[in-house]
Amino acid sequence: WKILHLNTKKSIMKQAFTLSIFIFVLPVLSFAQDAETEGTTPEQNVDTSALAQEVAITPLVDTEKKHRHAIALDFGAQGVGLDYGYSLNRHFAMHLGYMMLPVSIEDYAYDFQGTKTQMDINVKFSHMALKLDYYPFSWSGFKLMAGVAYFLDNEADVNIMLDESIYFGDDGDGDGFGDFEFTPDEIGNIDVGVDWEAFNPYFGFGFGRAVPDGYMDFGMDMGMFYMGSPNVSVDATGMLEDTSKEEEQLQANFADYKWLPQLNFRISFRF
């Protein structure tokens, strides 16, 4: 009985010792396994997810930043010019442009109520404009526009004189010419000039983005410059000298010409 009791006691102590070791080692092994798991699989999953997001998003961001600029060739009612466009986002863009319209016509023949006249026409329009485009729909090229322009030149001048002599009276010789002849130099000429203020606001709408989605795009703008009432001057010589007195009346006739229309076509290139 003593031997049996002793063996039983040793067995219980052995089992208790083994159980203690197991209880002590188990948390250590569990902690090591967790540390190994945290250091490998989850971190690898996070890195893989972040890498996937970076691969998916980065090209879009880089493309957006890279393609925010464009250069365009403009031509239309205000002449020809160049335009630089910058895209702020899908709804707003701005562009700075320069256009010029030099027109010079000399010795233009015009029949005025049976009298042959000759005109010299000079038109000088050149301006720099800063405009803001608003695109109500991010998927569309339709836009509303507003801006301001500084006109370096905004004047028109017309010089009119007769192209043939005028005869008065009838000398009875049947040749169709009267007794009195007045040459174009004697009759004189009329010079009419019109000019507007330098700074003028612009309002309009159009189609086509300042910075195209592709590498090249076509656009069209329609709008108006508010120029205010023009300044009119009249200068006359010879027998027409008294016509200069009609300057005030001519100024009143031109008072309603406050808007300068613009129809502009654009070919833009993204870079």
Side-chain angles (χ1 to χ4, degrees), residues 225-252:
F225 291 101
Y226 180 76
M227 310 289 287
S229 298
N231 301 312
V232 181
S233 62
V234 179
D235 187 18
T237 63
M239 298 175 62
L240 300 174
E241 187 173 358
D242 289 343
T243 308
S244 300
K245 299 178 181 179
E246 302 297 327
E247 183 175 298
E248 293 184 3
Q249 181 60 44
L250 196 60
Q251 176 80 46

Side-chain angles (χ1 to χ4, degrees), residues 20-223:
S20 299
I21 294 175
F22 179 77
I23 294 174
F24 175 78
V25 173
L26 180 61
V28 176
L29 294 176
S30 178
F31 176 80
Q33 183 178 4
D34 291 340
E36 183 180 358
T37 303
E38 291 177 0
T40 57
T41 305
E43 184 176 356
Q44 290 177 357
N45 291 337
V46 171
D47 291 342
T48 303
S49 178
L51 180 61
Q53 292 179 2
E54 183 177 357
V55 171
I57 296 176
T58 300
L60 297 179
V61 175
D62 291 343
T63 301
E64 182 70 18
K65 290 183 179 180
K66 183 178 179 181
H67 300 304
R68 285 189 175 182
H69 310 270
I71 189 88
L73 174 64
D74 295 331
F75 55 94
Q78 297 302 317
V80 297
L82 291 174
D83 182 280
Y84 164 73
Y86 179 76
S87 176
L88 301 174
N89 50 50
R90 293 297 296 177
H91 289 283
F92 290 96
M94 58 189 303
H95 47 98
L96 177 66
Y98 171 78
M99 296 193 71
M100 59 182 299
L101 178 66
V103 177
S104 180
I105 303 175
E106 295 184 357
D107 301 332
Y108 176 75
Y110 181 73
D111 192 338
F112 180 73
Q113 297 181 353
T115 302
K116 294 181 179 181
T117 62
Q118 180 177 291
M119 294 189 296
D120 294 335
I121 304 173
N122 291 284
V123 178
K124 294 181 180 180
F125 276 96
S126 63
H127 70 270
M128 297 185 66
L130 179 63
K131 301 175 183 177
L132 178 67
D133 298 347
Y134 169 62
Y135 301 87
F137 314 105
S138 60
W139 47 266
S140 173
F142 173 75
K143 59 186 176 182
L144 302 176
M145 308 172 65
V148 62
Y150 174 73
F151 281 77
L152 291 80
D153 296 297
N154 58 356
E155 59 185 15
D157 183 84
V158 180
N159 186 280
I160 307 171
M161 66 180 301
L162 295 181
D163 197 29
E164 60 183 3
S165 298
I166 296 180
Y167 297 88
F168 293 94
D170 186 4
D171 55 9
D173 58 7
D175 58 1
F177 298 101
D179 297 327
F180 304 99
E181 177 185 2
F182 297 95
T183 64
D185 291 336
E186 292 174 331
I187 295 175
N189 66 289
I190 301 176
D191 187 90
V192 179
V194 182
D195 65 86
W196 290 265
E197 297 296 330
F199 285 96
N200 301 284
Y202 174 83
F203 307 94
F205 66 96
F207 301 90
R209 292 189 169 271
V211 179
D213 293 331
Y215 290 101
M216 184 184 71
D217 195 12
F218 296 91
M220 179 179 65
D221 301 339
M222 292 169 283

